[in-house]
């Protein structure tokens, strides 16, 4: 039987998401901001985060599939859904669920930079440090953890457990 060890509670998530929304609102005051959620994992985080953002924003999504049903990244990403908003001269904040090796994020940032943006920053629900391979910066991180495979609040294992309202360390 898989074991679920609680890592981040509902109220911790709520508090930090609210604080992050306030920081982003202050940093992007007066700027044309587009938040791009990375599907599917970021959809819950993004939908909670934007309700704490008080400056005008636009929302788009991108989808990179790299994991399959495994717990390790394959290193190369495939874009299975592209952005739809014209991002030229826009400030972009890329919103991810979790940064592990950083390879997905690095690839997405490189791709988005090629679209003529004014700026790009990154935001993640979880910045997981242990296995980092790409030199990427996570500008806004809700939580920092060192290790472990996490599920819940959008994070999946083989498409399961996304709906859990808290974040757990999954031990198989
Ligand atoms: P990276 O390219 O290794 O940074 O992997 C990033 C992607 O892998 C994330 O967007 C997640 O979809 C997935 N991932 C990495 N670690 C975890 C985890 O602990 N739980 C669930 N998904 C994860
Ligand atoms: Mg995933």
């Amino acid at each position: 039987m898989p074991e679920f060890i609680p890592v981040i509670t509902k109220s911790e998530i709520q508090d930090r998401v609210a604080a992050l929304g306030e920081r982003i609102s202050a940093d992007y005051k007066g700027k044309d901001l587009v938040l791009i959620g990375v599907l599917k994992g970021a959809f819950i985080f993004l939908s909670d985060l934007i309700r704490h953002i008080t400056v005008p924003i636009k929302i788009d999504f991108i989808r990179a599939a790299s994991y399959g049903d495994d717990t390790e990244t394959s290193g190369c990403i495939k874009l299975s859904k592209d952005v739809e908003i014209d991002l030229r001269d826009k400030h972009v904040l890329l919103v991810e669920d979790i940064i592990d090796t950083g390879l997905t994020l690095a690839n997405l940032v490189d791709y988005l930079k090629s679209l003529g943006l004014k700026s790009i920053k990154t935001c993640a629900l979880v910045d997981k440090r242990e296995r980092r391979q790409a030199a990427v910066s996570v500008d806004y991180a809700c939580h920092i953890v060192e290790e472990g495979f996490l599920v819940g609040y959008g994070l999946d294992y083989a498409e399961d457990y996304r709906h859990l309202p808290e974040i757990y360390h999954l031990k198989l």
Side-chain angles (χ1 to χ4, degrees):
M1 280 296 279
E3 212 186 322
F4 295 85
I5 300 156
V7 179
I8 311 164
T9 66
K10 222 166 160 174
S11 66
E12 277 176 317
I13 297 172
Q14 277 169 3
D15 290 352
R16 305 226 193 140
V17 169
L20 210 58
E22 282 168 28
R23 254 181 76 198
I24 291 167
S25 305
D27 292 354
Y28 284 94
K29 205 169 174 197
K31 293 180 175 168
D32 247 347
L33 176 61
V34 182
L35 271 79
I36 299 180
V38 182
L39 293 172
K40 302 177 198 171
F43 83 106
I44 295 179
F45 173 45
L46 180 75
S47 62
D48 282 347
L49 178 67
I50 57 177
R51 282 174 281 181
H52 294 281
I53 295 181
T54 54
V55 296
I57 53 167
K58 290 188 171 69
I59 314 285
D60 206 344
F61 292 96
I62 197 165
R63 178 143 159 76
S66 70
Y67 260 55
D69 285 350
D70 210 346
T71 57
E72 268 182 57
T73 191
S74 57
C76 57
I77 62 155
K78 202 175 70 191
L79 220 60
S80 56
K81 190 222 164 290
D82 205 345
V83 287
E84 290 165 24
I85 294 178
D86 181 358
L87 297 177
R88 269 172 302 178
D89 296 322
K90 297 286 195 301
H91 294 278
V92 167
L93 183 58
L94 186 61
V95 182
E96 255 280 33
D97 55 356
I98 184 164
I99 314 301
D100 185 15
T101 64
L103 294 169
T104 309
L105 187 71
N107 277 289
L108 288 175
V109 167
D110 279 352
Y111 167 66
L112 290 169
K113 275 183 177 166
S114 75
L115 303 179
L117 319 178
K118 208 172 252 174
S119 77
I120 182 158
K121 281 191 182 181
T122 59
C123 175
L125 173 66
V126 180
D127 182 357
K128 187 163 77 175
R129 296 277 171 85
E130 190 193 43
R131 300 199 297 183
R132 194 61 42 85
Q133 289 176 32
V136 285
S137 67
V138 183
D139 300 294
Y140 301 93
C142 223
H143 305 276
I144 295 173
V145 301
E146 281 308 311
E147 57 181 357
F149 195 82
L150 307 183
V151 295
Y153 196 74
L155 294 164
D156 73 306
Y157 170 64
E159 297 299 332
D160 285 326
Y161 315 125
R162 291 192 199 276
H163 66 292
L164 301 177
E166 313 200 318
I167 298 175
Y168 297 88
H169 181 176
L170 176 69
K171 286 208 162 160
L172 293 170

